[in-house]
């Protein structure tokens, strides 16, 4: 299945065997050692990953234990010698204080162990060593407790802070000062008068973020739901970070807590009858609120996701299938960093892209017919920060991962374009063994896969893979770089960390312009100007051009360093000035673009990022071609023009054409030598009329290297003569003149002669001619030709210095005369 849950902790495996061993040792091998402990269950997961659990010993006493996630060892915390039911429990970071709340045991015949008139007892206990017990609350409503874990290096801290959440809809913070007596003994100072703050009141829903020490809660004001967030700091301060209206209908009579440990009061089998609400954040600055109202139909379910960091929300409706089949569990939302997973066991599984929610095709929607849906746990799951998932019912803690193997298989097998795109992005976002992963995708792309009608598969892969290769370096890149080929905040604070990123996302939503995301078309005109200047020999600032070419040299160096073995495909073996200029310009322009919008980031880091991004784009193209080359075993058989093209060569030509199409619309550079190789393969594999059509439409580009090889390797059969002539007449004059000298053929001589005459006569002014032509100096007596050659000879004599400097010493009037005679002879059929 696409979602892989790896167990980090299991009560049955990590705790129960130890308890049984202890009982066996104490009982001396008694018969009752195999009896499971009564009420063994998971209570809380603290910020440092340690797990608090409880059970009842054979006397009915409540025992608290802790599982250390680092040492994988269990530690006894405290035994409460009364038969009560635990509601909530938390231990401070130093493991010196324990807070717990209890209610009367549900067993019949038990006397009331609590204080008269109270329903819930909340205690603060000194456990290093076990000493004093202070009653924090003894009231007629449920209470939950949670110690704060500040972001500090200091150890131990002189004070602890405890949140107390009451069913009466208020939240308090206790400040607990401690002192050390008699060595390591820790006691609470002034335990009779603990300072406290009222954090919130009159709320209907609250969620604790253990990782970032944030409290989210919802108040109802004038029948409107207001979401608020409080951030707790290490200096014992806290602040209200934001409040925002939510368009969701919450009932004032309801009360729900999320991530405050096991909800003893909530019947897990009745979850489908209650609304589900949770807040997810990530290190990228995203903030999502996921909401699902209580089910009112067995045919479909509706849920909403509020993308606060993007400034809008989306509502999804999923058919449940299995009509008439009752729902026994609620919907589950899981935070997977770049994605939110939404599923109902056995019914559907959705994977929502929260970084780019504007395109639905970047999210994956699967129904109950999929194996992915049926293999997910049936118990209700609770999502914790850091992609942790807890199953309170079974006492298991999982770490959730996207399953690359399954997603790859799904990518290969699905027929729908939207699912291909979603699976492709899901796989690339995993970031594990990226080179191996890309190789597998390239292998698949190289196969004759069904065509994608909605997008270019190679183009999407190149853009997405290059994007994910640099994205971890800066979270803002998702709005500065292309990630796909398919395309109120009132207060101002000095935000840091997560809040800085979220605020940046909101500012982007308010002020961003469509052109903020980089597109390489911005260098098109500059590149065309540089190419024109090179052809005319006129160049702008030498320093500017040198900088561009230095960028290109660094990209080429990166490409050569990315593979340990020599590449089989003959790329990067020629100068290819146009492509070097383009890649150098792209590095320069992308660097400037990032510098403008990533202010505060080191310039060297941004330069490295731009260089890595362009190098990655070109490397992916090289890898696609290299994979195809190896697959068809073209090492020694490539481009032998004296035999017909093979099916393997045709396949490689087809892949290269797809790469060219992918790069063309985005105006991306190609590896130097790409056009040469593509043209040679095209000439070898295509009929003449198709070759000419591809050339005229600039699918095949006539590079000097490619044409030179064609002139040398192709013999002068009638078919090849037609091809050569068709190519020569399509060449720009600067290249055509060089190429004609390589082709020993009357047609080539004719072209050379025409160019030579044109050059000599371009400034010729007709003068009176008085000399008498010496007929003996001409091989044939033909007055017009004799007269014309005499003029050319005279012009050559007067321009000899310039003529030699330009390198035309092998072409003269005599050469022109010979070419003219041969051409006339051919025309007359003599």
């Amino acid at each position: 299945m696409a979602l892989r849950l790896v167990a980090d902790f299991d009560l049955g495996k990590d705790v129960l065997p130890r308890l049984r061993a202890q009982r066996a040792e104490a009982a001396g091998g008694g018969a009752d050692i195999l009896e499971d402990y009564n009420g063994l269950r998971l209570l809380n997961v603290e910020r440092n990953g340690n797990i608090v659990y409880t059970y009842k010993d054979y006397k009915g006493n409540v025992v608290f234990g802790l599982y250390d996630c680092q040492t994988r060892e269990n530690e006894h915390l405290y035994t409460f010698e009364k038969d009560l039911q635990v509601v909530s429990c938390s231990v401070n970071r130093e493991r010196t204080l324990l807070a717990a709340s209890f209610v009367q045991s549900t067993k019949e015949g038990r006397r009331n162990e609590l204080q008269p008139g109270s329903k819930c007892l909340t205690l603060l206990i000194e456990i290093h060593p076990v000493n004093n017990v202070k009653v924090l609350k003894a009231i007629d409503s449920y209470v939950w407790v949670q110690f704060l874990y500040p972001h500090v290096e200091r150890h131990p801290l002189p004070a602890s802070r405890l949140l107390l959440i009451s069913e009466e809809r208020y939240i308090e913070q206790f400040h607990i000062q401690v002192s050390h007596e008699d060595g390591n003994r820790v006691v609470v100072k002034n335990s009779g008068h603990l300072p406290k703050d009222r954090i919130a009141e009159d709320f209907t829903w609250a969620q604790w973020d253990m990782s970032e020490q944030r409290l989210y809660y919802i108040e109802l004001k004038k029948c409107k739901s207001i979401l608020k967030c409080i951030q707790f700091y290490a200096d014992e301060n806290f602040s209200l970070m934001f409040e925002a209206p939510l368009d969701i209908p919450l009932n004032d009579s309801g009360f729900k807590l999320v991530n405050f440990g096991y909800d003893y009061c909530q019947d897990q089998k009745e979850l489908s009858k209650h609304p589900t609400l949770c807040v997810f954040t990530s290190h990228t600055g995203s903030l999502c609120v996921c909401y699902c109202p209580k089910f009112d139909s067995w045919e479909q379910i509706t849920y909403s996701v509020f993308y606060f960091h993007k400034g809008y929300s989306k509502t999804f409706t999923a058919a449940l299938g299995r009509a008439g089949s009752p729902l026994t569990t609620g919907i589950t939302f899981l935070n997977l960093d770049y994605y939110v997973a939404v599923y109902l066991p056995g019914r559907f599984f959705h994977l929502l892209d929260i970084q780019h929610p504007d395109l639905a095709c970047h999210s994956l929607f699967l129904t109950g017919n999929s194996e992915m849906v049926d293999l997910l746990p049936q118990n209700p799951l609770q999502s914790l920060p850091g992609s942790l998932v807890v199953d309170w019912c079974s006492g298991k803690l999982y770490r959730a991962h996207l399953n690359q193997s399954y997603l790859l298989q799904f990518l290969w097998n699905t027929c729908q374009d939207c699912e291909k795109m979603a699976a492709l992005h899901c796989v690339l976002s995993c970031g594990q063994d990226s080179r191996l992963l890309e190789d597998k995708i390239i292998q698949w792309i190289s196969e004759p896969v069904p065509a994608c009608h909605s997008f270019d598969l190679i183009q999407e892969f190149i853009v997405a893979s290059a994007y994910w290769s640099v994205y971890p370096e800066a979270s803002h890149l998702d709005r500065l770089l292309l990630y796909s080929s398919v395309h109120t905040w009132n207060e101002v604070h000095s935000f840091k960390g997560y809040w800085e990123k979220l605020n940046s996302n909101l500012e982007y939503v308010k002020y961003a312009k469509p052109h903020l995301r980089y597109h390489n078309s911005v260098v098109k005109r500059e590149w065309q100007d540089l190419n024109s200047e090179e052809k005319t020999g006129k160049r702008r600032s030498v320093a500017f051009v040198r900088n561009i070419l230095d960028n290109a040299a660094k990209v080429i160096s990166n490409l050569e360093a990315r593979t340990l073995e020599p590449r089989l495909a003959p790329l990067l073996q020629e100068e290819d000035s146009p492509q070097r200029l383009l890649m150098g310009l792209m590095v320069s322009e992308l660097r400037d673009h990032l510098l403008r919008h990533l202010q505060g980031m080191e310039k060297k880091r941004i330069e490295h990022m731009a260089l890595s991004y362009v190098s990655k784009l070109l490397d992916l193209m090289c890898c696609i071609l290299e994979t195809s080359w190896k697959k068809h075993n073209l090492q020694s058989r490539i481009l032998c023009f004296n035999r017909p093209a093979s099916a393997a060569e045709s396949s490689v030509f087809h892949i290269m054409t797809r790469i060219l199409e992918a790069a063309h619309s985005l105006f991306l550079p190609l590896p130097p030598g790409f056009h040469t190789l593509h043209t040679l393969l095209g000439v070898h594999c295509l009929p003449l009329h198709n070759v000419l059509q591809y050339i005229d439409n600039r699918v095949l580009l006539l590079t000097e290297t490619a044409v030179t090889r064609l002139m040398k390797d192709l013999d002068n059969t009638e078919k090849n003569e037609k091809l050569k002539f068709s190519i020569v007449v399509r060449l720009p004059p600067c290249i055509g003149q060089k190429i004609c000298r390589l082709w020993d053929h009357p047609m080539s001589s004719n072209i050379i002669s025409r160019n030579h005459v044109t050059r000599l006569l371009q400034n010729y002014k007709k003068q009176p001619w008085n000399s008498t032509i010496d007929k003996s100096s001409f091989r044939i007596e033909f007055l017009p030709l004799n007269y014309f050659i005499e003029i050319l000879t005279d012009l050559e004599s007067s321009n000899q210095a310039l003529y030699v400097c330009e390198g035309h010493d092998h072409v003269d009037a005599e050469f022109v005369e010979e070419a003219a005679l041969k051409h006339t002879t051919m025309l007359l059929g003599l």
Side-chain angles (χ1 to χ4, degrees):
M1 58 181 177
L3 189 63
R4 186 163 55 95
L5 299 179
V6 180
D8 267 13
F9 170 80
D10 184 346
L11 273 176
K13 295 179 180 179
D14 296 309
V15 176
L16 190 56
R18 168 187 170 273
L19 298 181
R20 285 176 172 170
Q22 287 179 343
R23 175 176 291 183
E25 183 179 350
D32 65 339
I33 63 172
L34 294 179
E35 179 183 339
D36 286 346
Y37 276 73
N38 179 31
L40 176 61
R41 60 187 175 90
L42 192 156
L43 284 177
N44 201 356
V45 181
E46 301 289 5
R47 178 171 177 253
N48 55 12
N50 293 341
I51 296 167
V52 181
Y53 57 87
T54 185
Y55 61 91
K56 291 187 178 181
D57 62 16
Y58 67 97
K59 295 180 182 180
N61 298 326
V62 179
V63 183
F64 295 98
L66 180 140
Y67 178 80
D68 191 315
C69 67
Q70 299 296 326
T71 65
R72 300 287 179 180
E73 297 291 334
N74 287 276
E75 177 183 336
H76 173 265
L77 294 178
Y78 182 70
T79 299
F80 191 56
E81 296 179 349
K82 288 188 178 182
D83 186 8
L84 296 175
Q85 183 72 44
V86 181
V87 175
S88 175
C89 179
S90 182
V91 63
N92 69 343
R93 194 182 75 163
E94 294 76 21
R95 303 185 199 175
T96 57
L97 299 175
L98 180 78
S101 58
F102 306 87
V103 293
Q104 179 66 36
S105 177
T106 57
K107 292 184 179 180
E108 294 183 5
R110 294 286 185 183
R111 64 186 178 88
N112 190 351
E113 302 275 4
L114 302 179
Q115 296 182 12
S118 64
K119 175 181 176 182
C120 183
L121 180 66
T122 306
L123 303 177
L124 177 65
I125 307 163
E126 299 169 354
I127 60 173
H128 189 74
V130 173
N131 192 22
N132 298 318
V133 177
K134 172 179 173 53
V135 177
L136 292 177
K137 293 283 182 180
I139 57 178
D140 196 25
S141 59
Y142 288 101
V143 171
W144 290 262
V145 290
Q146 178 61 57
F147 274 104
L148 299 183
Y149 278 62
H151 296 261
V152 291
E153 298 294 332
R154 185 177 176 184
H155 186 85
L157 292 172
S160 292
R161 289 179 291 159
L162 176 70
L163 293 183
L164 188 147
I165 303 93
S166 171
E167 191 182 21
E168 295 178 352
R169 303 189 183 187
Y170 64 83
I171 301 175
E172 294 178 329
Q173 177 185 213
F174 284 84
H175 299 263
I176 307 167
Q177 296 287 332
V178 297
S179 61
H180 291 75
E181 299 179 357
D182 302 328
N184 291 327
R185 182 183 175 194
V186 177
V187 297
V188 177
K189 294 169 63 176
N190 300 321
S191 60
H193 302 281
L194 294 178
K196 61 182 179 180
D197 306 308
R198 182 61 66 95
I199 303 295
E201 53 190 358
D202 298 329
F203 67 92
T204 62
W205 172 93
Q207 175 180 315
W208 175 243
D209 183 336
M210 65 174 187
S211 177
E212 302 300 332
Q213 301 288 281
R214 299 184 193 124
L215 175 69
Y216 301 94
Y217 63 97
I218 292 179
E219 292 180 358
L220 293 181
K221 292 184 178 180
K222 299 180 180 179
C223 298
K224 291 185 178 181
S225 301
I226 307 298
L227 174 66
K228 297 185 177 183
C229 175
I230 290 179
Q231 176 73 63
F232 293 92
Y233 302 103
D235 60 0
E236 300 192 21
N237 289 324
F238 62 90
S239 59
L240 178 65
M241 299 306 297
F242 70 83
E243 54 181 279
L246 282 178
D247 186 18
I248 54 176
L250 288 182
N251 192 333
D252 187 45
S253 62
F255 178 80
K256 176 70 176 178
L257 296 179
V258 179
N259 290 353
F260 282 98
Y262 180 78
D263 193 349
Y264 167 76
C265 310
Q266 179 67 63
D267 184 352
Q268 299 298 313
K269 295 183 179 180
E270 299 294 321
L271 286 176
S272 62
K273 299 180 181 179
H274 300 274
T276 302
L277 179 67
C278 52
V279 176
F280 292 149
T281 63
S282 79
H283 68 280
T284 63
S286 64
L287 173 61
C288 294
V289 177
C290 304
Y291 170 73
C292 178
K294 64 180 181 179
F295 298 171
D296 55 7
S297 169
W298 286 354
E299 296 179 357
Q300 65 181 27
I301 184 173
T302 298
Y303 67 89
S304 299
V305 179
F306 299 83
Y307 303 97
F308 273 68
H309 57 294
K310 296 295 183 181
Y312 59 85
S313 65
K314 285 190 175 185
T315 298
F316 303 88
T317 300
L320 296 179
R322 307 181 188 180
S325 176
L327 296 173
T328 58
T329 183
I331 194 172
T332 296
F333 296 102
L334 300 179
N335 185 2
L336 303 178
D337 207 4
Y338 301 125
Y339 289 86
V340 166
V342 187
Y343 84 93
L344 196 60
R347 308 298 178 121
F348 69 85
F349 179 92
H350 294 174
L351 203 55
L352 306 180
D353 185 343
I354 62 173
Q355 292 300 115
H356 315 113
D358 46 325
L359 292 177
C361 58
H362 282 195
S363 299
L364 200 56
F365 302 94
L366 302 174
T367 64
N369 297 325
S370 170
E371 175 191 357
M372 183 188 304
V373 178
D374 292 329
L375 291 180
L376 291 169
Q378 300 296 305
N379 291 334
L381 300 181
Q382 183 66 57
S383 185
L384 300 178
S387 298
L388 291 175
V389 178
V390 61
D391 182 345
W392 298 109
C393 297
S394 65
K396 295 180 180 179
L397 182 69
Y398 301 97
R399 194 167 295 277
H401 304 276
L402 290 177
N403 190 334
Q404 283 188 348
S405 299
Y406 184 95
L407 287 169
L408 275 174
Q409 202 64 40
F410 182 82
L411 172 64
W412 298 337
N413 295 333
T414 184
C415 296
Q416 297 189 43
D417 285 2
C418 59
E419 291 184 346
K420 284 181 183 176
M421 177 172 283
L424 177 64
H425 281 268
C426 288
V427 168
L428 292 173
S429 70
C430 295
Q432 303 165 2
D433 299 324
S434 57
R435 173 55 83 184
L436 179 61
L437 182 65
E438 288 167 356
D439 287 345
K440 290 181 178 179
I441 297 175
I442 289 171
Q443 288 279 1
W444 172 64
I445 288 176
S446 302
E447 299 291 335
V449 296
C452 291
H453 302 288
S454 306
F455 66 100
D456 185 318
L457 185 57
I458 289 182
Q459 187 179 75
E460 187 69 17
F461 167 67
I462 291 173
V463 171
S465 189
Y467 166 81
W468 284 109
S469 71
V470 298
Y471 179 75
E473 297 188 37
S475 59
H476 302 315
L477 288 178
D478 67 316
R479 58 180 183 266
L480 299 179
L481 292 178
L482 284 177
Y483 59 85
S484 175
S485 60
V486 181
H487 316 293
T488 63
W489 195 273
N490 299 323
E491 298 179 78
V492 177
H493 298 286
S494 178
F495 295 112
K496 294 184 178 180
Y498 168 82
W499 299 110
E500 179 185 12
K501 295 174 183 176
L502 175 60
N503 188 50
S504 175
N505 284 330
L506 292 171
E507 291 300 308
Y508 162 68
V509 171
K510 289 165 61 178
Y511 301 116
K513 297 180 180 179
H515 62 264
L516 187 60
R517 189 169 282 118
Y518 178 81
H519 195 287
N520 208 41
S521 58
V522 296
V523 305
K524 187 173 184 178
R525 180 176 295 179
E526 188 79 19
W527 179 72
Q528 291 171 339
D529 290 345
L530 280 174
N531 276 318
S532 299
E533 291 169 5
E534 182 168 338
K535 292 174 183 176
T536 59
K538 299 177 182 178
R539 277 287 179 91
R540 64 186 76 184
S541 166
V542 175
F544 173 77
V545 177
R546 185 186 299 119
N547 179 58
I548 297 301
L549 294 178
D550 284 347
N551 289 339
K554 292 175 183 177
V555 173
I556 299 297
S557 179
N558 277 0
L559 289 177
E560 292 172 340
R562 284 174 182 259
T563 178
L564 299 177
E565 300 177 358
R567 298 182 190 269
L568 296 176
L571 296 178
L572 313 180
Q573 296 179 4
E574 64 178 272
E575 185 65 25
D576 202 344
S577 180
Q579 292 306 312
R580 287 179 182 262
L581 288 173
L582 181 55
M583 69 177 73
L585 276 171
M586 184 176 182
V587 172
S588 180
E589 192 67 32
L590 178 58
R591 179 195 60 220
D592 293 345
H593 178 77
L594 296 178
L595 283 170
R596 282 193 297 271
H597 300 290
L598 293 180
Q599 296 179 5
M601 185 179 287
E602 255 183 44
K603 183 178 180 181
K604 285 187 176 180
R605 187 179 170 192
I606 289 179
E607 288 176 346
H608 173 75
M609 198 183 303
L611 191 63
S612 297
Y613 181 78
V614 178
S615 301
K616 183 66 176 180
L617 288 171
L618 290 161
D619 182 56
L620 289 168
M621 298 178 196
C622 290
C623 287
I624 295 173
L625 181 56
E626 188 75 6
T627 299
S628 184
W629 207 271
K630 290 179 180 178
K631 174 185 173 184
H632 297 291
N633 194 27
L634 293 183
Q635 296 94 328
S636 59
R637 305 187 334 151
I638 186 65
L639 297 178
C640 295
F641 289 105
N642 57 358
R643 59 164 180 79
S646 65
E649 290 167 332
S650 297
S651 297
V652 172
F653 172 72
H654 178 65
I655 283 289
M656 292 191 74
T657 304
R658 290 174 62 193
I659 296 173
L660 181 67
E661 290 173 352
H664 178 71
S665 61
L666 295 177
F667 204 69
L668 299 178
L670 290 160
F674 183 94
H675 281 299
T676 293
L677 182 59
H678 186 229
T679 298
L680 293 175
L681 278 170
V683 169
H684 194 40
C685 298
L686 298 175
L688 177 59
H689 66 279
N690 288 125
V691 170
L692 300 180
Q693 186 180 26
Y694 275 44
I695 292 173
D696 292 339
N697 287 284
R698 300 191 62 78
V699 177
L700 296 179
L701 202 63
L702 295 175
T703 66
E704 184 175 342
T705 306
V707 178
T708 299
R709 175 151 180 200
L710 289 174
M711 294 300 163
K712 289 182 177 180
D713 289 4
L714 292 175
D715 57 22
N716 286 330
T717 61
E718 183 179 355
K719 175 184 175 183
N720 288 343
E721 283 185 353
K722 289 182 180 179
L723 171 62
K724 290 181 178 181
F725 177 71
S726 300
I727 288 175
V728 167
V729 297
R730 285 169 168 80
L731 291 174
C734 57
I735 298 179
Q737 189 152 339
K738 297 179 185 177
I739 297 303
C740 285
R741 286 178 170 76
L742 302 175
W743 184 21
D744 185 15
H745 189 273
M747 189 61 67
S748 177
S749 300
N750 186 29
I751 295 173
I752 293 172
S753 300
R754 287 175 181 272
N755 291 336
H756 180 70
V757 171
T758 301
R759 186 171 54 258
L760 286 176
L761 296 181
Q762 59 186 354
N763 296 319
Y764 172 68
K765 294 182 179 179
K766 188 174 180 180
Q767 307 248 344
W769 195 263
N770 300 320
S771 65
T772 303
I773 295 177
D774 183 6
K775 298 180 181 180
S776 62
S777 63
F778 296 98
R779 290 173 289 177
I780 293 180
E781 185 178 341
F782 180 52
L783 188 60
L785 178 61
N786 298 156
Y787 177 74
F788 182 60
I789 296 302
E790 184 75 15
I791 293 175
L792 294 182
T793 303
D794 184 63
L795 288 173
E796 286 174 356
S797 299
S798 60
N799 294 284
Q800 188 64 36
L802 177 62
Y803 179 59
V804 173
C805 287
E806 291 182 351
H808 305 296
D809 50 313
H810 295 296
V811 182
D812 54 17
E814 185 178 347
F815 180 90
V816 174
E817 179 185 24
E818 183 177 347
L821 292 172
K822 286 183 179 179
H823 184 62
T824 304
T825 303
M826 289 173 60
L827 291 176
L828 297 175
L830 301 176

